[in-house]
């Protein structure tokens, strides 16, 4: 009981409430602006949080993460341009409903479903994270190596143009993680006589470059694009009768989203698409999907916000990011001196309850913000990109430099931005690279320690049933795209 009281008491301080509220406001606005995203905002904000106490800083980023997932539904409904990838499925029915004059109702449905999905997943998070952490206390370096390899294999299932591209991007991230002095042997690798690279590449400039600069360059070709914009004067909450008819859809999507969020390397986008498909599969009005049906809005919205809470489970309990955004939060944890994983939750359990409280507050806060500021956020979508992107560039340079007061980090950020631009252009996602960069150090360190334990006998690692289990899951993950493609080709041949 004491950790719960300590965790929540940390959040009840006025300064912390202001920071969390600020995170919610930034998250909703960033989510509502086409072209911006939660990962970009977290990457830009992380260096500025280094001057804050660790728990308020992480609580602020967690609140931004929750609110940003919801904020994307605003532009998905009003202009058919999802402000965040998880809101792609919401646009399928949200925009048609807005076009027929029910924009306020669509926003109300999205908001309530988001809050329900987020709150349900947070209660699963508060139960599952300590349980998972207690199990992980039994893990040794070999088990952590197998778990990290399994997490990397999950990159194949992330949304993107192809599984192979995701794995290649993750592999590049792992290679970048090898830059610097090897902790076990003391050998310098790929430092090119640059002292700033001895400890490896800093997370902050890479994150800012990939998510902010890369997106800036990608969006530069759409500066003069004109979109049809529908304003919402007020948000109209669904009635109790309507909620009662939608409760099964909301609960089902919340469960799906939470489960998908807990899986390493999956995320809100996958959850939203699965939530939409399942809502349609169980609906008695399948023919209405795509024309503005309420189930087509609450299904993906409950799922993608539930995935946000679910993704925090492996992030905090195991140190394995559950999504691209939680990979950035994990990097922020490391920069604030935390060691994510079971020891974090067992030694400082109040931290878990502080994060839980911040995310719970964020879910109810964007409900209040949506009710009061629906008209304002519909106007936010009109901010010209000619003003928006120069501001993003300025914050990117300041953020990259301020992390360690080094111009080398600014150069790293600019190079990462160019890499992110070309990756995006050719179908390689930035999120797999970031997850590879974060997991790369865990893979290398745990493998080196395992080889010391087993006297360089790799096969001896398989004697552990946990290692064998994770290796088996890895093989299943890597072979899944092959079998899926084989089945699809078989069906096409049969149809032909």
């Amino acid at each position: 009981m004491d950790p719960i009281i300590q965790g929540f008491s940390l959040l009840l301080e006025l300064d912390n409430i202001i920071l969390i509220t600020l995170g919610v406001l930034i998250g909703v606005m960033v989510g509502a602006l086409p072209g911006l995203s939660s990962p970009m905002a977290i990457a830009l904000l992380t260096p500025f949080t280094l001057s804050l106490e660790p728990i308020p800083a992480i609580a602020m980023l967690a609140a931004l993460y929750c609110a940003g997932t919801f904020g994307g539904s605003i532009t998905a409904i009003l202009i058919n341009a999802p402000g965040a990838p998880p809101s792609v499925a919401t646009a399928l029915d949200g925009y048609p409903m807005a076009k027929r004059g029910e924009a306020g109702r669509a926003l109300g449905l999205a908001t309530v479903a988001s809050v329900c999905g987020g709150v349900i997943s947070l209660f699963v998070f508060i139960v599952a994270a300590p349980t998972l952490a207690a199990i992980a206390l039994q893990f040794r370096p070999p088990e952590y190596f197998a778990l990290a390899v399994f997490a990397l294999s999950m990159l194949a299932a992330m949304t993107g143009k192809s599984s192979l591209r995701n794995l290649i991007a993750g592999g590049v991230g792992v290679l970048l993680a090898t830059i610097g002095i090897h902790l076990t042997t003391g050998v310098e690798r790929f430092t090119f006589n640059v002292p700033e690279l001895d400890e490896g590449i800093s997370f902050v400039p890479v994150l800012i470059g990939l998510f902010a600069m890369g997106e800036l360059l990608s969006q530069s070709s759409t500066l003069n694009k004109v979109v049809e914009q529908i304003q919402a004067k007020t948000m109209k909450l669904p009635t109790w009768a309507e909620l009662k008819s939608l409760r099964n859809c909301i609960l089902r999507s919340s469960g799906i989203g939470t489960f998908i969020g807990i899986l390493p390397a999956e995320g809100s986008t996958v959850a939203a698409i699965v939530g939409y498909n399942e809502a349609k599969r169980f609906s008695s009005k399948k023919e209405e999907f795509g024309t503005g049906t309420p189930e087509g809005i609450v299904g993906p919205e409950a799922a993608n916000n539930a995935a946000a809470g679910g993704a925090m489970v492996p992030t905090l309990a195991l140190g394995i990011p559950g999504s691209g955004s939680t990979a950035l939060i994990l990097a922020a944890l490391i920069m604030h001196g935390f060691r994510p994983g079971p020891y974090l939750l067992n030694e400082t359990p109040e931290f878990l309850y502080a994060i839980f409280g911040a995310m719970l507050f964020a879910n109810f806060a964007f409900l209040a913000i949506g009710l009061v500021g629906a008209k304002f956020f519909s106007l936010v979508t009109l901010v010209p990109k000619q003003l928006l992107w120069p501001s993003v560039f300025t914050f990117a340079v300041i953020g990259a430099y301020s992390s360690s007061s080094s111009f080398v980090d600014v150069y790293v950020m600019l190079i990462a931005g160019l890499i992110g631009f070309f990756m995006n252009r050719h179908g390689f996602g930035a999120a797999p690279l970031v997850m590879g960069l974060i997991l790369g150090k865990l893979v290398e360190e745990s493998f080196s320690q395992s080889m010391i334990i087993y006297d360089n006998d790799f096969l001896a690692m398989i004697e552990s049933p946990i290692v064998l289990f994770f290796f088996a899951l890895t093989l299943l993950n890597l072979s899944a795209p092959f079998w899926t493609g084989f089945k699809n080709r078989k069906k096409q041949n049969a149809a032909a």
Side-chain angles (χ1 to χ4, degrees), residues 5 15 21 51 76 79 123 133 187 192 199 262 270 283 336 348 379-380 382 384 408 413 421 424 478 489:
I5 296 173
D15 291 348
T21 305
S51 60
I79 62 175
F123 282 101
V187 175
F192 304 104
E199 295 183 5
I262 291 174
V270 175
S283 175
H336 277 279
T348 56
L379 295 175
V380 166
L382 298 176
V408 171
M413 183 270 292
F421 169 68
N424 185 54
L478 295 177
R489 286 192 297 270

Side-chain angles (χ1 to χ4, degrees), residues 211-232:
F211 287 100
M213 293 301 298
E215 190 63 31
L216 187 155
L217 294 171
S218 298
Q219 292 285 331
S220 62
S221 60
T222 64
L223 287 177
N224 298 317
K225 184 179 178 181
V226 179
V227 295
E228 181 184 359
Q229 201 265 352
I230 300 170
Q231 288 193 29

